[in-house]
Amino acid sequence: LHAGISNAANMVRTFGGMIFFARIYITNFDELYETLRALIGGAVVYSAVSVFEFRFSPQLHHMLYGYFQHSFDQFVRYGHFRPVGAMRHAIEFSFFMGTSCLLAVGLTAKKMFPPLWGILPGWAVVGITLVGLACTLTFTGYSAFVMGAVLLAVLFGRPHRAWLLAL
């Protein structure tokens, strides 16, 4: 019981502020849409980090912060490395890539995704984020992507704004 309450308090302390400010500042569909595009843009950038760390080892965290908070051998898989980027763990990184890739697939499928930064078409963004997701070698991101894809298949027949707000 004590561990459960402690973990719940830790989660509120970690994510409560972000959720509070998101509820204040994201108040309509257009703001939500811009937030999703920003997340997808971040995933495109992180795809390059994912490919780099997949090949050369998780070094970005060490270069930015001066330390690596885990045992290095946790991140070796099948002769390659699970990328971490600037996040706390490879599982968190994988979940971010899986959900961002899913958002890109959903917005592209609904034809609601104009070129990112004015140059990258939706299909290219989906491909880039899929490569980044594949490099994570973590089933958390894969399962987030697959579960979300099933949800998208169920919601695909709904109007544009209804399915986005449902997520």
Side-chain angles (χ1 to χ4, degrees):
L1 181 65
H2 175 69
I5 293 171
S6 175
N7 284 337
N10 188 30
M11 287 295 177
V12 169
R13 192 172 53 245
T14 303
F15 298 109
M18 289 185 283
I19 293 170
F20 175 74
F21 285 114
R23 293 293 296 164
I24 290 174
Y25 291 111
I26 302 173
T27 58
N28 59 35
F29 176 78
D30 294 329
E31 292 169 350
L32 176 63
Y33 180 71
E34 287 304 314
T35 303
L36 295 180
R37 284 184 54 86
L39 284 172
I40 293 168
V44 167
V45 172
Y46 252 63
S47 292
V49 172
S50 181
V51 171
F52 174 80
E53 289 193 350
F54 172 75
R55 179 64 183 99
F56 296 110
S57 79
Q59 295 295 321
L60 183 64
H61 200 280
H62 182 69
M63 290 187 303
L64 288 175
Y65 301 115
Y67 72 98
F68 190 64
Q69 70 271 31
H70 299 287
S71 171
F72 192 75
D73 55 343
Q74 289 182 20
F75 296 92
V76 178
R77 292 286 189 275
Y78 310 112
H80 291 284
F81 301 94
R82 288 174 27 188
V84 179
M87 295 189 183
R88 294 182 290 185
H89 199 276
I91 294 172
E92 187 177 65
F93 185 91
S94 180
F95 186 79
F96 169 70
M97 290 304 297
T99 54
S100 298
C101 184
L102 180 67
L103 288 171
V105 167
L107 290 175
T108 302
K110 283 294 197 175
K111 297 179 178 39
M112 295 175 62
F113 197 74
L116 189 65
W117 304 311
I119 54 173
L120 286 175
W123 61 267
V125 170
V126 169
I128 290 168
T129 54
L130 272 173
V131 167
L133 173 62
C135 288
T136 62
L137 297 173
T138 306
F139 293 111
T140 303
Y142 301 159
S143 63
F145 180 79
V146 169
M147 288 177 9
V150 169
L151 179 64
L152 277 180
V154 169
L155 295 173
F156 196 79
R158 299 188 182 271
H160 292 310
R161 293 176 187 257
W163 78 269
L164 187 58
L165 292 175
L167 292 177

